[in-house]
mmCIF file of all heavy atoms in Angstrom:
data_model
loop_
_atom_site.group_PDB
_atom_site.id
_atom_site.type_symbol
_atom_site.label_atom_id
_atom_site.label_comp_id
_atom_site.label_asym_id
_atom_site.label_seq_id
_atom_site.Cartn_x
_atom_site.Cartn_y
_atom_site.Cartn_z
ATOM 1 N N ILE A 1 35.558 57.315 20.246
ATOM 2 C CA ILE A 1 36.318 58.195 19.385
ATOM 3 C C ILE A 1 35.641 58.360 18.004
ATOM 4 O O ILE A 1 35.461 59.432 17.463
ATOM 5 C CB ILE A 1 37.791 57.702 19.197
ATOM 6 C CG1 ILE A 1 38.518 57.746 20.532
ATOM 7 C CG2 ILE A 1 38.504 58.505 18.087
ATOM 8 C CD1 ILE A 1 39.889 57.118 20.427
ATOM 9 N N SER A 2 35.221 57.194 17.447
ATOM 10 C CA SER A 2 34.662 57.207 16.090
ATOM 11 C C SER A 2 33.165 57.434 16.074
ATOM 12 O O SER A 2 32.649 58.007 15.119
ATOM 13 C CB SER A 2 34.982 55.887 15.396
ATOM 14 O OG SER A 2 34.255 54.842 15.929
ATOM 15 N N GLY A 3 32.452 56.949 17.079
ATOM 16 C CA GLY A 3 30.969 57.073 17.109
ATOM 17 C C GLY A 3 30.253 56.219 16.091
ATOM 18 O O GLY A 3 29.092 56.398 15.817
ATOM 19 N N SER A 4 30.989 55.259 15.473
ATOM 20 C CA SER A 4 30.403 54.458 14.390
ATOM 21 C C SER A 4 30.742 53.003 14.593
ATOM 22 O O SER A 4 31.909 52.663 14.860
ATOM 23 C CB SER A 4 30.921 54.952 13.030
ATOM 24 O OG SER A 4 30.653 54.045 12.019
ATOM 25 N N GLY A 5 29.779 52.099 14.411
ATOM 26 C CA GLY A 5 30.003 50.692 14.499
ATOM 27 C C GLY A 5 30.882 50.134 13.432
ATOM 28 O O GLY A 5 31.924 49.525 13.711
ATOM 29 N N PRO A 6 30.549 50.330 12.151
ATOM 30 C CA PRO A 6 31.372 49.775 11.049
ATOM 31 C C PRO A 6 32.814 50.331 11.109
ATOM 32 O O PRO A 6 33.780 49.616 10.819
ATOM 33 C CB PRO A 6 30.659 50.233 9.769
ATOM 34 C CG PRO A 6 29.221 50.353 10.207
ATOM 35 C CD PRO A 6 29.275 50.867 11.618
ATOM 36 N N ALA A 7 32.977 51.619 11.455
ATOM 37 C CA ALA A 7 34.296 52.206 11.535
ATOM 38 C C ALA A 7 35.146 51.520 12.611
ATOM 39 O O ALA A 7 36.340 51.284 12.456
ATOM 40 C CB ALA A 7 34.202 53.736 11.832
ATOM 41 N N THR A 8 34.514 51.199 13.708
ATOM 42 C CA THR A 8 35.221 50.474 14.823
ATOM 43 C C THR A 8 35.686 49.130 14.369
ATOM 44 O O THR A 8 36.806 48.695 14.595
ATOM 45 C CB THR A 8 34.296 50.352 16.031
ATOM 46 O OG1 THR A 8 33.861 51.637 16.460
ATOM 47 C CG2 THR A 8 34.991 49.655 17.179
ATOM 48 N N VAL A 9 34.787 48.379 13.673
ATOM 49 C CA VAL A 9 35.152 47.027 13.183
ATOM 50 C C VAL A 9 36.335 47.121 12.156
ATOM 51 O O VAL A 9 37.275 46.358 12.241
ATOM 52 C CB VAL A 9 33.945 46.336 12.513
ATOM 53 C CG1 VAL A 9 34.376 44.954 11.965
ATOM 54 C CG2 VAL A 9 32.837 46.172 13.505
ATOM 55 N N ALA A 10 36.200 48.095 11.268
ATOM 56 C CA ALA A 10 37.230 48.238 10.244
ATOM 57 C C ALA A 10 38.586 48.605 10.821
ATOM 58 O O ALA A 10 39.628 48.084 10.459
ATOM 59 C CB ALA A 10 36.795 49.273 9.181
ATOM 60 N N ALA A 11 38.568 49.555 11.781
ATOM 61 C CA ALA A 11 39.864 50.040 12.312
ATOM 62 C C ALA A 11 40.530 49.069 13.228
ATOM 63 O O ALA A 11 41.772 48.843 13.165
ATOM 64 C CB ALA A 11 39.595 51.325 13.121
ATOM 65 N N LEU A 12 39.782 48.339 13.996
ATOM 66 C CA LEU A 12 40.349 47.349 14.975
ATOM 67 C C LEU A 12 40.458 45.974 14.413
ATOM 68 O O LEU A 12 41.417 45.251 14.788
ATOM 69 C CB LEU A 12 39.509 47.358 16.256
ATOM 70 C CG LEU A 12 39.339 48.683 16.975
ATOM 71 C CD1 LEU A 12 38.452 48.486 18.221
ATOM 72 C CD2 LEU A 12 40.664 49.332 17.373
ATOM 73 N N GLY A 13 39.533 45.620 13.519
ATOM 74 C CA GLY A 13 39.521 44.192 13.018
ATOM 75 C C GLY A 13 40.789 43.897 12.228
ATOM 76 O O GLY A 13 41.256 42.729 12.256
ATOM 77 N N MET A 14 41.349 44.842 11.535
ATOM 78 C CA MET A 14 42.507 44.600 10.727
ATOM 79 C C MET A 14 43.647 44.082 11.585
ATOM 80 O O MET A 14 44.536 43.378 11.113
ATOM 81 C CB MET A 14 42.951 45.835 10.004
ATOM 82 C CG MET A 14 41.928 46.283 8.936
ATOM 83 S SD MET A 14 41.754 45.167 7.569
ATOM 84 C CE MET A 14 43.402 45.343 6.780
ATOM 85 N N ILE A 15 43.682 44.498 12.837
ATOM 86 C CA ILE A 15 44.767 44.123 13.766
ATOM 87 C C ILE A 15 44.332 42.931 14.647
ATOM 88 O O ILE A 15 45.103 41.924 14.782
ATOM 89 C CB ILE A 15 45.170 45.291 14.650
ATOM 90 C CG1 ILE A 15 45.584 46.494 13.791
ATOM 91 C CG2 ILE A 15 46.323 44.895 15.619
ATOM 92 C CD1 ILE A 15 45.768 47.769 14.576
ATOM 93 N N LEU A 16 43.136 43.009 15.249
ATOM 94 C CA LEU A 16 42.740 42.052 16.245
ATOM 95 C C LEU A 16 42.289 40.705 15.699
ATOM 96 O O LEU A 16 42.557 39.704 16.321
ATOM 97 C CB LEU A 16 41.672 42.705 17.153
ATOM 98 C CG LEU A 16 42.158 43.711 18.134
ATOM 99 C CD1 LEU A 16 40.971 44.401 18.798
ATOM 100 C CD2 LEU A 16 43.101 43.058 19.135
ATOM 101 N N ILE A 17 41.596 40.721 14.591
ATOM 102 C CA ILE A 17 41.132 39.435 14.054
ATOM 103 C C ILE A 17 42.303 38.504 13.681
ATOM 104 O O ILE A 17 42.328 37.380 14.088
ATOM 105 C CB ILE A 17 40.157 39.679 12.862
ATOM 106 C CG1 ILE A 17 38.857 40.302 13.357
ATOM 107 C CG2 ILE A 17 39.846 38.350 12.145
ATOM 108 C CD1 ILE A 17 37.881 40.611 12.235
ATOM 109 N N PRO A 18 43.282 38.998 12.924
ATOM 110 C CA PRO A 18 44.460 38.140 12.680
ATOM 111 C C PRO A 18 45.191 37.732 13.955
ATOM 112 O O PRO A 18 45.687 36.612 14.007
ATOM 113 C CB PRO A 18 45.359 39.026 11.767
ATOM 114 C CG PRO A 18 44.426 39.983 11.121
ATOM 115 C CD PRO A 18 43.356 40.260 12.164
ATOM 116 N N ALA A 19 45.255 38.678 14.923
ATOM 117 C CA ALA A 19 45.938 38.306 16.194
ATOM 118 C C ALA A 19 45.219 37.199 16.910
ATOM 119 O O ALA A 19 45.867 36.277 17.466
ATOM 120 C CB ALA A 19 46.011 39.547 17.096
ATOM 121 N N MET A 20 43.922 37.184 16.910
ATOM 122 C CA MET A 20 43.136 36.167 17.583
ATOM 123 C C MET A 20 43.249 34.864 16.829
ATOM 124 O O MET A 20 43.354 33.757 17.446
ATOM 125 C CB MET A 20 41.631 36.556 17.699
ATOM 126 C CG MET A 20 41.436 37.719 18.700
ATOM 127 S SD MET A 20 39.719 37.932 19.178
ATOM 128 C CE MET A 20 39.348 36.439 20.146
ATOM 129 N N VAL A 21 43.270 34.879 15.504
ATOM 130 C CA VAL A 21 43.389 33.672 14.741
ATOM 131 C C VAL A 21 44.783 33.045 14.971
ATOM 132 O O VAL A 21 44.920 31.831 15.150
ATOM 133 C CB VAL A 21 43.194 33.971 13.183
ATOM 134 C CG1 VAL A 21 43.574 32.746 12.360
ATOM 135 C CG2 VAL A 21 41.727 34.389 12.929
ATOM 136 N N ASN A 22 45.811 33.895 15.003
ATOM 137 C CA ASN A 22 47.170 33.380 15.297
ATOM 138 C C ASN A 22 47.292 32.775 16.641
ATOM 139 O O ASN A 22 48.109 31.868 16.877
ATOM 140 C CB ASN A 22 48.182 34.543 15.126
ATOM 141 C CG ASN A 22 48.331 34.974 13.655
ATOM 142 O OD1 ASN A 22 48.067 34.243 12.759
ATOM 143 N ND2 ASN A 22 48.717 36.194 13.474
ATOM 144 N N ALA A 23 46.494 33.260 17.608
ATOM 145 C CA ALA A 23 46.499 32.743 18.968
ATOM 146 C C ALA A 23 45.756 31.401 19.107
ATOM 147 O O ALA A 23 45.852 30.764 20.140
ATOM 148 C CB ALA A 23 45.950 33.750 19.949
ATOM 149 N N GLY A 24 44.975 31.071 18.082
ATOM 150 C CA GLY A 24 44.257 29.777 18.131
ATOM 151 C C GLY A 24 42.747 29.878 18.098
ATOM 152 O O GLY A 24 42.025 28.876 18.088
ATOM 153 N N TYR A 25 42.174 31.089 18.121
ATOM 154 C CA TYR A 25 40.745 31.223 18.011
ATOM 155 C C TYR A 25 40.261 31.017 16.548
ATOM 156 O O TYR A 25 40.976 31.449 15.635
ATOM 157 C CB TYR A 25 40.310 32.672 18.443
ATOM 158 C CG TYR A 25 40.511 32.914 19.930
ATOM 159 C CD1 TYR A 25 41.638 33.656 20.365
ATOM 160 C CD2 TYR A 25 39.585 32.524 20.860
ATOM 161 C CE1 TYR A 25 41.795 33.921 21.718
ATOM 162 C CE2 TYR A 25 39.726 32.775 22.197
ATOM 163 C CZ TYR A 25 40.887 33.475 22.642
ATOM 164 O OH TYR A 25 41.021 33.740 23.958
ATOM 165 N N PRO A 26 39.108 30.355 16.361
ATOM 166 C CA PRO A 26 38.616 30.185 14.994
ATOM 167 C C PRO A 26 38.345 31.543 14.326
ATOM 168 O O PRO A 26 37.975 32.507 15.004
ATOM 169 C CB PRO A 26 37.316 29.415 15.202
ATOM 170 C CG PRO A 26 37.399 28.785 16.554
ATOM 171 C CD PRO A 26 38.285 29.683 17.395
ATOM 172 N N ALA A 27 38.518 31.584 13.014
ATOM 173 C CA ALA A 27 38.335 32.852 12.278
ATOM 174 C C ALA A 27 36.933 33.374 12.402
ATOM 175 O O ALA A 27 36.729 34.581 12.588
ATOM 176 C CB ALA A 27 38.747 32.638 10.811
ATOM 177 N N ALA A 28 35.946 32.471 12.306
ATOM 178 C CA ALA A 28 34.548 32.882 12.367
ATOM 179 C C ALA A 28 34.240 33.450 13.761
ATOM 180 O O ALA A 28 33.537 34.498 13.895
ATOM 181 C CB ALA A 28 33.611 31.680 12.103
ATOM 182 N N PHE A 29 34.746 32.778 14.808
ATOM 183 C CA PHE A 29 34.504 33.332 16.195
ATOM 184 C C PHE A 29 35.115 34.692 16.369
ATOM 185 O O PHE A 29 34.549 35.641 16.921
ATOM 186 C CB PHE A 29 35.133 32.301 17.200
ATOM 187 C CG PHE A 29 35.164 32.788 18.613
ATOM 188 C CD1 PHE A 29 34.026 32.642 19.403
ATOM 189 C CD2 PHE A 29 36.282 33.419 19.107
ATOM 190 C CE1 PHE A 29 34.065 33.111 20.729
ATOM 191 C CE2 PHE A 29 36.292 33.869 20.430
ATOM 192 C CZ PHE A 29 35.199 33.709 21.248
ATOM 193 N N SER A 30 36.351 34.833 15.863
ATOM 194 C CA SER A 30 37.057 36.154 16.029
ATOM 195 C C SER A 30 36.362 37.271 15.264
ATOM 196 O O SER A 30 36.217 38.344 15.816
ATOM 197 C CB SER A 30 38.491 35.992 15.497
ATOM 198 O OG SER A 30 39.144 34.936 16.104
ATOM 199 N N ALA A 31 35.948 36.966 14.041
ATOM 200 C CA ALA A 31 35.317 37.980 13.207
ATOM 201 C C ALA A 31 33.913 38.349 13.822
ATOM 202 O O ALA A 31 33.500 39.519 13.825
ATOM 203 C CB ALA A 31 35.140 37.530 11.788
ATOM 204 N N ALA A 32 33.207 37.323 14.301
ATOM 205 C CA ALA A 32 31.874 37.533 14.908
ATOM 206 C C ALA A 32 31.969 38.416 16.158
ATOM 207 O O ALA A 32 31.171 39.337 16.387
ATOM 208 C CB ALA A 32 31.158 36.247 15.211
#
C-alpha cells in the first residue's frame, strides 16, 4: 500500500511494537 520501508515501520510499529513488548518479547527484538 505504502511502497516505502520507513512508512511501513512508522505506521505499524506504533501498534505492534508495544503489543509484542506487552506479550513478553524484548523491546530490542520487537523493534528490530
